[in-house]
Amino acid sequence: MGRGTGLPRASSIRPPSGWTEPRRRCAAFSAFPKEHWRQIWSTNSLERLNKELRRRCRVVGIFPNEASVMRLAGSVLIDAHDEWQASERRYFSLESMAKLAGPGSTPVLTESP
């Protein structure tokens, strides 16, 4: 029991047996290097991308068909990819990405031009 609260201590509470798989999935980011945890856990980049897509959709207003929406979404994604590739500040550093490849493997990442 906790100190005078009448409630059990958190360390004494055990989750039901069926909770191991959801807990493992929730902590999947922990398989990556610690330097990546904050970026993987955060949704900031996704929110920024969605905000840019909404902004461009408002500029167009009405789309004539579904293909035009897909072209716009594709162009937003291509622009974001190009910006991430050419940026001075990378989302993940080359050094931290090299940890993913493991020792003795050939890195597939190169410096930006």
Short mmCIF file of all heavy atoms in Angstrom, two decimals, residues 16 18-19 21 23-24 29 32-33 35 38 42 47 50 52 57 60 67 69 72 79-80 84-85 92 103-104 112:
data_model
loop_
_atom_site.label_atom_id
_atom_site.label_comp_id
_atom_site.label_asym_id
_atom_site.label_seq_id
_atom_site.Cartn_x
_atom_site.Cartn_y
_atom_site.Cartn_z
N PRO A 16 -2.65 -7.00 -17.10
CA PRO A 16 -3.17 -8.31 -17.49
C PRO A 16 -2.24 -8.98 -18.48
O PRO A 16 -1.47 -8.33 -19.20
CB PRO A 16 -4.51 -7.98 -18.14
CG PRO A 16 -4.87 -6.62 -17.65
CD PRO A 16 -3.59 -5.93 -17.37
N GLY A 18 -2.65 -10.30 -21.36
CA GLY A 18 -2.84 -9.99 -22.77
C GLY A 18 -2.27 -8.65 -23.21
O GLY A 18 -2.35 -8.28 -24.37
N TRP A 19 -1.68 -7.89 -22.29
CA TRP A 19 -1.18 -6.56 -22.60
C TRP A 19 0.25 -6.53 -23.09
O TRP A 19 0.78 -5.48 -23.40
CB TRP A 19 -1.30 -5.66 -21.38
CG TRP A 19 -2.68 -5.17 -21.15
CD1 TRP A 19 -3.85 -5.74 -21.53
CD2 TRP A 19 -3.04 -3.97 -20.49
NE1 TRP A 19 -4.91 -5.00 -21.13
CE2 TRP A 19 -4.44 -3.90 -20.49
CE3 TRP A 19 -2.32 -2.97 -19.88
CZ2 TRP A 19 -5.14 -2.85 -19.92
CZ3 TRP A 19 -3.01 -1.92 -19.30
CH2 TRP A 19 -4.41 -1.87 -19.33
N GLU A 21 1.64 -7.64 -25.93
CA GLU A 21 1.78 -7.26 -27.34
C GLU A 21 1.53 -5.76 -27.55
O GLU A 21 2.33 -5.09 -28.20
CB GLU A 21 0.84 -8.10 -28.22
CG GLU A 21 0.89 -7.77 -29.69
CD GLU A 21 2.25 -8.00 -30.34
OE1 GLU A 21 3.07 -8.74 -29.77
OE2 GLU A 21 2.50 -7.43 -31.41
N ARG A 23 1.92 -3.36 -25.42
CA ARG A 23 3.03 -2.64 -24.79
C ARG A 23 4.28 -2.72 -25.66
O ARG A 23 5.02 -1.76 -25.79
CB ARG A 23 3.32 -3.22 -23.41
CG ARG A 23 2.25 -2.87 -22.40
CD ARG A 23 2.48 -3.53 -21.09
NE ARG A 23 3.66 -2.97 -20.45
CZ ARG A 23 4.29 -3.53 -19.44
NH1 ARG A 23 3.85 -4.67 -18.96
NH2 ARG A 23 5.34 -2.96 -18.91
N ARG A 24 4.51 -3.89 -26.26
CA ARG A 24 5.68 -4.05 -27.14
C ARG A 24 5.54 -3.14 -28.36
O ARG A 24 6.50 -2.48 -28.76
CB ARG A 24 5.80 -5.51 -27.58
CG ARG A 24 7.06 -5.80 -28.39
CD ARG A 24 7.08 -7.23 -28.91
NE ARG A 24 6.01 -7.50 -29.84
CZ ARG A 24 6.00 -7.11 -31.11
NH1 ARG A 24 6.99 -6.42 -31.60
NH2 ARG A 24 5.00 -7.40 -31.90
N PHE A 29 9.68 2.11 -30.78
CA PHE A 29 10.71 3.11 -31.07
C PHE A 29 11.98 2.85 -30.27
O PHE A 29 13.06 3.30 -30.65
CB PHE A 29 10.20 4.52 -30.79
CG PHE A 29 9.98 4.83 -29.34
CD1 PHE A 29 11.00 5.40 -28.60
CD2 PHE A 29 8.78 4.53 -28.72
CE1 PHE A 29 10.82 5.67 -27.25
CE2 PHE A 29 8.60 4.80 -27.39
CZ PHE A 29 9.62 5.37 -26.65
N PHE A 32 15.34 1.67 -31.81
CA PHE A 32 16.19 2.60 -32.54
C PHE A 32 17.18 3.26 -31.58
O PHE A 32 16.98 3.22 -30.37
CB PHE A 32 15.33 3.67 -33.23
CG PHE A 32 14.51 3.13 -34.36
CD1 PHE A 32 13.23 2.66 -34.14
CD2 PHE A 32 15.04 3.08 -35.64
CE1 PHE A 32 12.47 2.15 -35.19
CE2 PHE A 32 14.29 2.58 -36.69
CZ PHE A 32 13.01 2.11 -36.46
N PRO A 33 18.23 3.89 -32.11
CA PRO A 33 19.18 4.59 -31.23
C PRO A 33 18.47 5.67 -30.42
O PRO A 33 17.49 6.27 -30.88
CB PRO A 33 20.18 5.22 -32.21
CG PRO A 33 20.07 4.42 -33.45
CD PRO A 33 18.66 3.93 -33.51
N GLU A 35 19.16 8.63 -29.86
CA GLU A 35 19.12 9.94 -30.51
C GLU A 35 17.87 10.10 -31.36
O GLU A 35 17.47 11.21 -31.69
CB GLU A 35 20.35 10.16 -31.39
CG GLU A 35 21.66 10.20 -30.64
CD GLU A 35 22.29 8.81 -30.48
OE1 GLU A 35 21.75 7.82 -31.00
OE2 GLU A 35 23.31 8.73 -29.80
N ARG A 38 13.16 10.91 -29.70
CA ARG A 38 12.33 12.12 -29.64
C ARG A 38 11.66 12.38 -31.00
O ARG A 38 10.48 12.71 -31.07
CB ARG A 38 13.17 13.31 -29.23
CG ARG A 38 12.31 14.52 -28.89
CD ARG A 38 13.15 15.71 -28.62
NE ARG A 38 13.77 16.04 -29.90
CZ ARG A 38 14.67 16.98 -30.09
NH1 ARG A 38 15.08 17.69 -29.10
NH2 ARG A 38 15.16 17.23 -31.27
N SER A 42 7.59 12.03 -31.59
CA SER A 42 6.90 13.28 -31.88
C SER A 42 6.14 13.21 -33.20
O SER A 42 6.53 12.51 -34.12
CB SER A 42 7.93 14.41 -31.96
OG SER A 42 7.33 15.58 -32.43
N GLU A 47 2.52 16.91 -38.48
CA GLU A 47 1.61 18.04 -38.33
C GLU A 47 2.02 19.19 -39.25
O GLU A 47 1.17 19.85 -39.85
CB GLU A 47 1.59 18.51 -36.88
CG GLU A 47 0.90 17.53 -35.96
CD GLU A 47 1.07 17.87 -34.50
OE1 GLU A 47 1.63 18.93 -34.19
OE2 GLU A 47 0.62 17.07 -33.66
N ASN A 50 0.94 18.23 -42.79
CA ASN A 50 -0.52 18.39 -42.95
C ASN A 50 -0.92 19.85 -43.03
O ASN A 50 -1.82 20.22 -43.80
CB ASN A 50 -1.25 17.70 -41.80
CG ASN A 50 -1.26 16.21 -41.94
OD1 ASN A 50 -1.15 15.67 -43.04
ND2 ASN A 50 -1.38 15.52 -40.82
N GLU A 52 0.87 22.34 -44.21
CA GLU A 52 1.24 22.82 -45.55
C GLU A 52 0.25 22.32 -46.60
O GLU A 52 -0.13 23.07 -47.51
CB GLU A 52 2.66 22.37 -45.89
CG GLU A 52 3.13 22.78 -47.27
CD GLU A 52 3.21 24.29 -47.48
OE1 GLU A 52 3.21 25.06 -46.50
OE2 GLU A 52 3.27 24.71 -48.65
N CYS A 57 -4.32 23.53 -50.24
CA CYS A 57 -5.69 23.20 -50.66
C CYS A 57 -6.60 24.41 -50.57
O CYS A 57 -7.47 24.60 -51.42
CB CYS A 57 -6.25 22.05 -49.81
SG CYS A 57 -5.57 20.45 -50.24
N VAL A 60 -6.23 26.60 -53.65
CA VAL A 60 -6.92 26.10 -54.85
C VAL A 60 -8.42 26.26 -54.69
O VAL A 60 -9.11 26.65 -55.62
CB VAL A 60 -6.54 24.62 -55.11
CG1 VAL A 60 -7.37 24.03 -56.23
CG2 VAL A 60 -5.06 24.49 -55.41
N ALA A 67 -8.02 13.16 -59.16
CA ALA A 67 -6.63 13.15 -59.67
C ALA A 67 -5.92 14.46 -59.37
O ALA A 67 -4.72 14.47 -59.05
CB ALA A 67 -6.62 12.85 -61.16
N VAL A 69 -6.41 16.40 -56.79
CA VAL A 69 -6.07 16.40 -55.37
C VAL A 69 -4.82 15.57 -55.15
O VAL A 69 -3.91 15.95 -54.40
CB VAL A 69 -7.24 15.84 -54.52
CG1 VAL A 69 -6.84 15.71 -53.06
CG2 VAL A 69 -8.47 16.68 -54.67
N LEU A 72 -1.72 17.44 -56.28
CA LEU A 72 -1.33 18.46 -55.31
C LEU A 72 -0.66 17.82 -54.09
O LEU A 72 0.40 18.28 -53.65
CB LEU A 72 -2.54 19.28 -54.87
CG LEU A 72 -2.21 20.34 -53.82
CD1 LEU A 72 -1.33 21.43 -54.42
CD2 LEU A 72 -3.47 20.92 -53.24
N ASP A 79 7.99 18.30 -52.50
CA ASP A 79 8.63 19.52 -51.99
C ASP A 79 9.21 19.30 -50.59
O ASP A 79 10.33 19.74 -50.29
CB ASP A 79 7.64 20.68 -51.94
CG ASP A 79 7.29 21.22 -53.31
OD1 ASP A 79 7.99 20.86 -54.28
OD2 ASP A 79 6.33 22.00 -53.41
N ALA A 80 8.45 18.62 -49.73
CA ALA A 80 8.93 18.35 -48.37
C ALA A 80 10.16 17.45 -48.41
O ALA A 80 11.14 17.68 -47.69
CB ALA A 80 7.83 17.71 -47.54
N TRP A 84 13.86 18.40 -47.06
CA TRP A 84 14.55 17.60 -46.05
C TRP A 84 15.92 17.13 -46.55
O TRP A 84 16.87 17.03 -45.78
CB TRP A 84 13.72 16.40 -45.64
CG TRP A 84 12.47 16.76 -44.89
CD1 TRP A 84 12.22 17.92 -44.21
CD2 TRP A 84 11.31 15.96 -44.74
NE1 TRP A 84 10.97 17.88 -43.66
CE2 TRP A 84 10.38 16.69 -43.96
CE3 TRP A 84 10.94 14.70 -45.20
CZ2 TRP A 84 9.13 16.19 -43.62
CZ3 TRP A 84 9.70 14.20 -44.85
CH2 TRP A 84 8.82 14.95 -44.09
N GLN A 85 16.03 16.84 -47.85
CA GLN A 85 17.29 16.38 -48.40
C GLN A 85 18.31 17.51 -48.51
O GLN A 85 19.50 17.29 -48.29
CB GLN A 85 17.08 15.76 -49.79
CG GLN A 85 16.34 14.45 -49.76
CD GLN A 85 17.11 13.37 -49.05
OE1 GLN A 85 18.30 13.21 -49.25
NE2 GLN A 85 16.43 12.63 -48.19
N PHE A 92 17.48 13.49 -38.90
CA PHE A 92 18.35 12.51 -38.26
C PHE A 92 19.76 12.76 -38.78
O PHE A 92 19.97 12.86 -39.98
CB PHE A 92 17.95 11.08 -38.61
CG PHE A 92 16.60 10.67 -38.10
CD1 PHE A 92 15.59 10.35 -38.98
CD2 PHE A 92 16.35 10.60 -36.75
CE1 PHE A 92 14.35 9.96 -38.51
CE2 PHE A 92 15.10 10.22 -36.28
CZ PHE A 92 14.10 9.90 -37.16
N PRO A 103 27.81 -2.14 -37.30
CA PRO A 103 29.23 -2.14 -37.62
C PRO A 103 29.54 -3.04 -38.81
O PRO A 103 28.96 -4.11 -38.96
CB PRO A 103 29.89 -2.67 -36.34
CG PRO A 103 28.81 -3.41 -35.63
CD PRO A 103 27.51 -2.79 -36.03
N GLY A 104 30.44 -2.58 -39.66
CA GLY A 104 30.89 -3.38 -40.80
C GLY A 104 30.00 -3.33 -42.02
O GLY A 104 30.33 -3.88 -43.05
N SER A 112 24.42 15.79 -48.15
CA SER A 112 23.67 16.61 -49.11
C SER A 112 24.64 17.47 -49.90
O SER A 112 25.68 17.85 -49.38
CB SER A 112 22.70 17.55 -48.42
OG SER A 112 22.14 17.02 -47.31
#
